[in-house]
Amino acid sequence: MKEVVKAKEGEVFDIELEADILEANEKLAAENKKLLRKHGVQAIDIMGAIGSGKTSLIEKLVQKLKGKYRMAAFKGDLTTTIDAELIARHGVEVVPINTRKECHLDANLVKKALQRLDLHNLHLLFIENVGNLICPAEFPLGSEKRVVVISVTEGPYMVVKHPFIFMDADVVVINKVDLAQPMGVDVRKLEADVKRINPYARVAVTNCRSGEGVGEVVEALGL
Ligand code: MG
């Protein structure tokens, strides 16, 4: 695992120097995208609430795709490297990013983390955001595709309550399908909620602990 990229106290002001923080972020995200494309690296955002299964999904994707692509991951968290270590067990390079108090990654932190990787030797980069269904939606990072992971344990209204993050999603993963019945959650209803907000999103239903449905995610991502 690589050294942690740590946000400095008040670092967000680096971006706030410009009048419009979102616009500044978008500019940096475009630079990140350009750099990644130049090296032929496809970056994929993995967003979702705390405990939805983002890390488990990345672990399963890495295991499944190991023979096909050279991969790396960024893992955004406030202060820990727990998830980063879980992903690194599978033999991929991981850069942990600690945001301190921020509820999302931004393009500035991703830009710094990109400097820690040998992009030349990479095909795929998974960027796991801080667990949150609200803030990450507004901060593009420079990735090609955005995945949102929700789980049935979050209840039946997760999608309708957080529409914005689904609008931009390429793939929506409905995880912990094995618990749908005990939780009294109708997976088809969740899927219909996603499609109503974003008819273009591909939906995959998974149990990321067992690996069920992960093949659908791979297919939906065109990998
Ligand atoms: Mg995680």
Side-chain angles (χ1 to χ4, degrees), residues 91-139:
V92 292
E93 205 66 83
V94 182
V95 183
I97 304 174
N98 284 348
T99 62
R100 290 175 72 101
K101 293 171 187 166
E102 292 302 314
C103 55
H104 58 86
L105 288 176
D106 62 37
N108 183 42
L109 289 169
V110 166
K111 185 181 172 183
K112 284 185 168 189
L114 284 171
Q115 289 161 10
R116 305 248 162 112
L117 288 179
D118 179 9
L119 295 176
H120 195 66
N121 262 316
L122 212 58
H123 301 126
L124 270 183
L125 172 65
F126 295 109
I127 305 178
E128 181 182 342
N129 219 308
V130 179
N132 192 308
L133 270 179
I134 304 162
C135 319
E138 284 196 297
F139 287 82

Side-chain angles (χ1 to χ4, degrees), residues 45-197:
D45 287 333
I46 310 287
M47 306 177 291
I50 297 165
S52 57
K54 299 180 294 302
T55 308
S56 305
L57 175 65
I58 293 173
E59 287 189 74
K60 282 290 186 287
L61 287 172
V62 162
Q63 283 174 286
K64 219 177 174 68
L65 297 168
K66 223 183 228 176
K68 199 170 172 189
Y69 301 108
R70 282 195 294 272
M71 293 171 283
F74 292 167
K75 172 56 194 126
D77 258 310
L78 301 195
T79 58
T80 63
T81 58
I82 297 166
D83 288 358
E85 284 159 33
L86 287 172
I87 299 167
R89 289 185 308 178
H90 302 283
V92 292
E93 205 66 83
V94 182
V95 183
I97 304 174
N98 284 348
T99 62
R100 290 175 72 101
K101 293 171 187 166
E102 292 302 314
C103 55
H104 58 86
L105 288 176
D106 62 37
N108 183 42
L109 289 169
V110 166
K111 185 181 172 183
K112 284 185 168 189
L114 284 171
Q115 289 161 10
R116 305 248 162 112
L117 288 179
D118 179 9
L119 295 176
H120 195 66
N121 262 316
L122 212 58
H123 301 126
L124 270 183
L125 172 65
F126 295 109
I127 305 178
E128 181 182 342
N129 219 308
V130 179
N132 192 308
L133 270 179
I134 304 162
C135 319
E138 284 196 297
F139 287 82
L141 306 174
S143 57
E144 294 293 331
K145 284 181 179 156
R146 305 198 98 184
V147 176
V148 180
V149 184
I150 55 167
S151 65
V152 299
T153 50
E154 293 158 39
Y157 307 115
M158 211 53 176
V159 177
V160 288
K161 282 184 179 175
H162 305 90
F164 298 107
I165 202 155
F166 296 96
M167 285 176 186
D168 263 352
D170 297 286
V171 179
V172 175
V173 176
I174 303 176
N175 192 29
K176 305 189 190 179
V177 64
D178 51 313
L179 299 176
Q181 214 176 356
M183 286 301 296
V185 170
D186 182 349
V187 172
R188 293 303 141 209
K189 164 86 171 48
L190 280 178
E191 191 171 347
D193 289 343
V194 171
K195 289 287 187 186
R196 209 172 305 119
I197 293 166

